[in-house]
Amino acid sequence: MFRNWRIDTVNGALLAAYFIPAWTLVAFNIMVAPVHGLYERPSVAVALFLSDHLQMAGMDTVRAAWLLALGRLTVVAFFAIYLVLLCIPRIRRTGGSDEALGIALAIGSLISFASMVMASKVGEMAALRLHATELLLLLGAAIVMVIERPVAAPKAVEAAAPLGLEQAELLHNR
């Protein structure tokens, strides 16, 4: 069963196993109580940056929190689609699930990088370490995915076409 699994396939599945529960919990905490969820550890750097540097009012902070939750849920959805596509062997062998993984990696890297920069600006070291670690996980998976391409299917060998009546069978015609 595991003969046709590539390194990027396993790496993507392990990333999905981390990001789906972790980011879903953070997003649901933000959706239930936007301000309280935004000031929890995974998003505190974003909250401090919004309040200190951008001086956002209450309702604008809630909208930004919901936008962050929507971005995180989008990444979770693409990781879930990737896992569903991995269950189909034909798609897994040809690398058809790589698009969903690539989109999840791109959006997740963007969110983690922006959060890391915001954590750096407000001086929140625990959040900086968390977002830097997540960014390195996502970028490492993207590098593995780019380097390891799916194995191409072998080309079928064509049978020699029979010669027409007007062609002589010479050595160079074989």
Side-chain angles (χ1 to χ4, degrees):
M1 176 182 167
F2 293 108
R3 291 184 194 164
N4 55 12
W5 284 68
R6 301 183 325 263
I7 293 174
D8 66 336
T9 305
V10 175
N11 191 14
L14 289 174
L15 277 178
Y18 168 74
F19 279 100
I20 288 175
W23 281 27
T24 302
L25 286 174
V26 171
F28 280 136
N29 285 339
I30 290 173
M31 288 175 10
V32 169
V35 176
H36 185 273
L38 192 62
Y39 278 95
E40 289 181 357
R41 181 176 297 212
S43 305
V44 71
V46 176
L48 291 175
F49 184 82
L50 292 176
S51 65
D52 292 348
H53 292 279
L54 298 180
Q55 286 118 16
M56 286 191 158
M59 200 58 198
D60 292 334
T61 304
V62 170
R63 287 185 187 118
W66 284 339
L67 187 62
L68 178 65
L70 179 67
R72 286 181 183 252
L73 284 178
T74 303
V75 172
V76 166
F78 277 108
F79 272 126
I81 291 169
Y82 173 71
L83 288 180
V84 168
L85 291 175
L86 280 185
C87 295
I88 305 169
R90 185 186 58 205
I91 293 176
R92 183 181 61 243
R93 273 186 240 119
T94 60
S97 59
D98 289 347
E99 291 177 10
L101 179 62
I103 293 171
L105 293 176
I107 297 172
S109 296
L110 184 67
I111 291 172
S112 290
F113 180 74
S115 299
M116 184 183 71
V117 169
M118 290 178 196
S120 151
K121 292 286 186 187
V122 297
E124 186 64 38
M125 285 299 120
L128 179 66
R129 280 188 224 105
L130 172 70
H131 298 303
T133 302
E134 288 178 347
L135 180 63
L136 287 174
L137 284 170
L138 293 166
L139 291 178
I143 290 170
V144 168
M145 193 174 96
V146 166
I147 290 175
E148 185 184 38
R149 299 301 334 155
V151 178
K155 305 268 184 194
V157 178
E158 294 181 18
L163 295 174
L165 294 176
E166 65 275 351
Q167 292 180 340
E169 186 173 338
L170 301 173
L171 289 176
H172 68 276
N173 280 345
R174 290 185 193 187

